[in-house]
Amino acid sequence: MILITGATGAVGGGVLAELSDAGVSVRALTRRPEHPFPAGVEVVVGDLHDAATVERALDGVRGLFLFPEAPTVVAEALRRSPVGRVVTLSSSTVLDRPVDDVIARRHREAEAVAEASGATWVHLRPGAFASNALRWAPAIRAGDVVNGVYGDAVNTPIDPADIASVAARALIDERLENIALTLSGPQALSAHEQLGILSEVLGRSLQWRELDLSQARAGLAAHADAAMVESMLGLQAQAVRTVPTLSPTVREIIGHDPRTFADWARAHAEKFR
């Protein structure tokens, strides 16, 4: 039995579906039992902040896909569980962001939980998700102008489906042991270039309107606390200054090239219409 946390998310849901299709026994820990899980998936209602729920969900589990949340609770539960393999959804931020960066710290804590558990571990460290572009969807549905900051920031957007495929393989392939895998999409693209690709896919002329930092902070503050806002802005500022590295890991693990941003955009075009 393999337990999937974050089971209704883009990555966790993909991991669950791939393992279920492969005939692997899968359990989902979720706050949303009404979610349409694949047939045969065992559902445990709860979340990673509830110690009793986590211990119940881990009962009889040999593998865990760990979403980076509630590290203290998960660490305690893992010490009393039979889990032999933990795959963490981490982030490339653990490699190049300051110690006090909120996003990086969250993922470093998840990695530390896996490494201290006594289980075999694999850390997945993707960069920016292609699906981050969904933050532009309300503006694109309403008009042709997207407001943003650091339009020249360059990332290597990766389709969450590719992360899920690597995670599913890592959960069952014993050759992957105590290793951190840096994941990227196949292209380095700026925010301007990603918006241009969406323009082509949607058959529209979308425009980028650059905000100043005070405007960006005000917009983000409606959705995140101050520390998270500064972490997000810091990531984007760093992406302006740094040329990202493309990783061959997705192809090496799953045997085909990662999907392009255009592939992702075509598959999710209706979310922008």
Side-chain angles (χ1 to χ4, degrees):
M1 176 70 72
I2 293 179
L3 176 65
I4 309 298
T5 62
T8 60
V11 178
V15 177
L16 186 146
E18 289 209 22
L19 292 176
S20 180
D21 288 346
V24 178
S25 296
V26 184
R27 179 181 295 162
L29 176 62
T30 181
R31 292 185 290 259
R32 297 171 51 198
E34 74 281 2
H35 184 81
F37 293 107
V41 171
E42 182 181 332
V43 177
V44 174
V45 181
D47 64 52
L48 289 173
H49 295 274
D50 181 352
T53 297
V54 174
E55 291 201 21
R56 185 169 71 252
L58 285 171
D59 184 41
V61 165
R62 63 182 177 84
L64 168 66
F65 179 69
L66 180 59
F67 189 77
E69 192 172 325
T72 302
V73 173
V74 175
E76 287 295 325
L78 278 174
R79 274 194 278 271
R80 294 187 289 272
S81 81
V83 171
R85 174 171 290 261
V86 180
V87 175
T88 60
L89 179 59
S90 187
S91 164
S92 62
T93 58
V94 303
L95 301 173
D96 55 18
R97 294 297 295 157
V99 172
D100 61 350
D101 181 89
V102 171
I103 296 173
R105 185 172 68 238
R106 174 187 181 191
H107 291 95
R108 290 187 186 114
E109 288 173 348
E111 290 189 3
V113 166
E115 292 177 21
S117 69
T120 296
W121 52 266
V122 179
H123 303 322
L124 307 184
R125 294 173 174 171
F129 287 20
S131 54
N132 289 352
L134 289 172
R135 69 187 183 276
W136 302 331
I140 291 172
R141 288 195 295 266
D144 293 327
V145 177
V146 169
N147 296 314
V149 68
Y150 296 120
D152 292 327
V154 177
N155 291 290
T156 57
I158 182 170
D159 191 323
D162 287 326
I163 304 172
S165 293
V166 174
R169 184 68 58 85
L171 283 161
I172 60 177
D173 189 342
E174 295 182 357
R175 294 172 297 179
L176 297 173
E177 181 176 344
N178 299 343
I179 187 172
L181 302 174
T182 300
L183 309 179
S184 79
Q187 301 164 289
L189 297 168
S190 69
H192 289 145
E193 289 168 327
Q194 291 176 52
L195 190 63
I197 290 169
L198 281 170
S199 292
E200 293 177 8
V201 168
L202 298 173
R204 295 171 56 188
S205 180
L206 302 175
Q207 305 297 317
W208 179 271
R209 178 184 293 154
E210 185 76 14
L211 301 177
D212 62 37
L213 279 176
S214 62
Q215 292 171 315
R217 283 192 178 93
L220 291 170
H223 308 286
D225 62 30
M228 181 61 74
V229 167
E230 292 309 310
S231 181
M232 290 188 289
L233 291 174
L235 275 172
Q236 293 178 68
Q238 180 175 309
V240 173
R241 302 188 301 267
T242 308
V243 177
T245 301
L246 298 176
S247 167
T249 304
V250 171
R251 181 176 180 81
E252 291 170 353
I253 299 296
I254 65 177
H256 61 74
D257 289 331
R259 297 168 179 86
T260 65
F261 182 79
D263 293 333
W264 177 87
R266 284 189 290 269
H268 296 85
E270 291 307 313
K271 295 178 181 178
F272 295 91
R273 293 190 172 117

